[in-house]
Amino acid sequence: MTQPAFADPAGTWNRRFAEDGFVFGTQPNAWLREHAGVWQPGQRVLCVADGEGRNSVWLARQGLVVDAFDIAEIGVAKARRLAQEQGVGVNYTVSDCDAFAWPEAAYDGVAAIFVQFADPALRERLFGHIRRCLKPGGTLVLQGYTPRQLEYRTGGPPFESHLYTEALLREAFADLECIELREYEAELAEGSGHCGRSALIGLVARHRLT
Ligand SMILES: C[S@@+](CC[C@H](N)C(=O)[O-])C[C@H]1O[C@@H](n2cnc3c(N)ncnc32)[C@H](O)[C@@H]1O
């Protein structure tokens, strides 16, 4: 059964991010780190729902020009401090993904790491924005959980309708060229938020040049 979108996402996430420390740690997500070589220094990347900034700051440290947004202003404030501490600039915005001013064909890359707050209707709008904001040749790097994660309960939403299968991602990004799409299991140690055996899925897909 389809579950509704989360109520009060800004309040919920602000409360989580108000705790000391970083809920998902300060190191980048491993799938992102392993695939960020698809982008060259100086290229422009958008981090979607970037939370406390672990991914945006690391990408900026690789020489990328990074925009990032998140609905939770406490998360974005922590991300700004992390960027300052690490001596990099990131263009942060506090925004709901529906309200974000998505530019058309503007980014060489999009990082969408654990954005499974989205129910199917919101996900369709979000994925549409992601596809359209990529330049021709631009590349999406996405990480999420599969439905098997409901057995592990080591992170992610407890709603099957928010989780991804290979078929779902293949169909959602059918107009992109699939570079890699993989379901796998791994031990995550991303702060207290994603911790333990996890059922994961990773996608790397490129906007076609035509
Ligand atoms: C699981 S966390 C992942 C954060 C980050 N991508 C990372 O990997 O560390 C999900 C993030 O989505 C954000 N979020 C939830 N609903 C949102 C919405 N409607 N629009 C934008 N961001 C949202 C939350 O504030 C939170 O930072």
Side-chain angles (χ1 to χ4, degrees), residues 9 13 17 24 48-51 54-55 69-72 95-97 113-114 117 194:
W13 282 99
F17 292 147
F24 303 106
V48 173
D50 181 55
R54 64 186 178 125
N55 296 317
F69 75 87
D70 196 279
I71 199 170
S95 180
D96 180 279
C97 61
I113 307 300
F114 295 119
F117 55 83
H194 296 154

Side-chain angles (χ1 to χ4, degrees), residues 105-147:
Y107 292 106
D108 300 293
V110 172
I113 307 300
F114 295 119
V115 295
Q116 292 176 306
F117 55 83
D119 66 6
L122 179 55
R123 180 172 66 224
E124 195 176 329
R125 298 195 298 279
L126 175 61
F127 284 1
H129 287 304
I130 289 174
R131 291 195 305 268
R132 289 188 297 275
C133 80
L134 281 169
K135 286 180 190 170
T139 305
L140 166 67
V141 175
L142 175 145
Q143 166 100 101
Y145 291 112
T146 68

